[in-house]
Amino acid sequence: MARTFTLYKEYGIGFGLCAKGENCNKDLKYFVFSISFRIFVLRFHYTQIFDMPIDTNNYIIMIDQIIDYNKSFVANKEYEKFVTDKYPDKKLAVLSCMDTRLTELLPAALGLKNGDAKIIKNAGGLVISAFDSAMRSLIVAIYELGVEEIMVVAHSHCGACHMSYEHFHEQMIARGVTDSTLATIRKCGIDLDAWLEGFKDTPESVRRTVETIRTHPLVPKDIIVRGFIIDSETGELEEM
């Protein structure tokens, strides 16, 4: 456990202060944890810090194929049809789910082409904290990139629906995460049950996310925020 805590102290970006409870509210703890936990996961997968043999062959094979394709893509100048700038032409941001069914379906169903909108994705298309990464991206989109309208787009048959920490806990243990590591995280004030909790009602989840964005203290009152559920097969939108 001492070695685990050293990892957090080294890479946690102030995580030690939050572990002691010094001037850290719930949202700040989540923000700091979200950064440090991602670094923790990367170290877990790609180093021997826990003295575990890590086989990255499965990762490398697909990535190498992508790199080979990319060389051809650039050499043939296939990028030219995608050239645009960083400002969304439609002054629109879309917060949606990372589900692979939506990779091409979502922009096609919304009539969006490259350069039209800022598309922000995570598991479930959620804002789970007033200062999480999704909300941060939306704030940047508003003030730096000229976004005036926000669509929250969940989808049917979402994997985040009924998601729970208990399910992940079993998989984590099976993949080598120790109970002592999980205990350390909890001692640092992180509620893993809440952090990995999904939702049970998709329409209510969309409404809650819309309300969180709309009433956020840093979101101007003239920003339009509306919520939808997209059919994962047909692309049909239903407004909440």
Side-chain angles (χ1 to χ4, degrees):
M1 183 177 293
R3 182 164 52 179
T4 303
F5 188 68
T6 299
L7 176 66
Y8 278 101
K9 286 183 65 180
E10 184 179 359
Y11 294 96
I13 312 176
F15 199 78
L17 292 178
C18 279
K20 298 177 183 177
E22 298 183 11
N23 300 320
C24 286
N25 59 29
K26 181 179 178 182
D27 286 330
L28 181 56
K29 282 184 177 181
Y30 173 82
F31 172 72
V32 174
F33 173 71
S34 66
I35 297 172
S36 57
F37 190 68
R38 289 172 194 171
I39 298 172
F40 173 81
V41 170
L42 288 173
R43 287 293 300 269
F44 172 77
H45 276 293
Y46 297 109
T47 76
Q48 303 292 325
I49 193 166
F50 294 105
D51 300 321
M52 294 170 56
I54 304 297
D55 180 8
T56 58
N57 288 335
N58 290 334
Y59 299 99
I60 297 173
I61 291 173
M62 180 51 64
I63 295 175
D64 282 346
Q65 290 177 5
I66 290 173
I67 292 173
D68 289 341
Y69 175 84
N70 177 258
K71 292 176 181 177
S72 173
F73 179 87
V74 174
N76 295 329
K77 297 186 177 181
E78 295 180 49
Y79 57 82
E80 291 181 344
K81 61 183 178 182
F82 300 107
V83 173
T84 184
D85 59 32
K86 67 179 183 178
Y87 299 99
D89 294 336
K90 296 185 182 296
K91 301 184 183 299
L92 173 70
V94 180
L95 172 61
S96 191
C97 184
M98 64 183 187
D99 194 289
T100 52
R101 289 169 290 184
L102 303 184
T103 302
E104 292 190 49
L105 178 64
L106 178 68
L110 272 53
L112 300 176
K113 65 181 186 301
N114 203 51
D116 280 346
K118 294 297 175 182
I119 299 181
I120 302 157
K121 292 190 173 188
N122 61 27
L126 305 172
V127 171
I128 61 174
S129 165
F131 294 95
D132 69 2
S133 62
M135 196 67 236
R136 176 178 178 273
S137 295
L138 289 171
I139 294 299
V140 171
I142 291 169
Y143 288 103
E144 179 65 20
L145 303 169
V147 161
E148 297 176 355
E149 299 182 52
I150 297 170
M151 293 178 70
V152 176
V153 185
H155 66 101
S156 60
H157 311 297
C158 182
C161 192
H162 305 296
M163 190 170 70
S164 71
Y165 168 67
E166 290 182 3
H167 169 73
F168 288 106
H169 177 256
E170 294 177 2
Q171 295 193 44
M172 289 175 183
I173 296 300
R175 297 287 293 274
V177 178
T178 65
D179 281 321
S180 63
T181 295
L182 297 172
T184 298
I185 292 172
R186 289 189 181 278
K187 286 180 181 178
C188 290
I190 302 304
D191 184 352
L192 289 173
D193 295 275
W195 189 60
L196 289 171
E197 183 73 18
F199 50 85
K200 296 177 175 60
D201 185 314
T202 304
E204 178 57 30
S205 174
V206 172
R207 295 187 191 101
R208 186 166 56 249
T209 294
V210 167
E211 188 65 14
T212 299
I213 298 170
R214 186 178 287 153
T215 60
H216 195 284
L218 300 181
V219 173
K221 301 303 180 184
D222 60 345
I223 297 295
I224 297 170
V225 187
R226 296 166 67 179
F228 303 84
I229 296 176
I230 188 172
D231 188 293
S232 299
E233 183 176 344
T234 69
E236 180 180 9
L237 286 175
E238 179 183 1
E239 187 161 12
M240 296 296 101

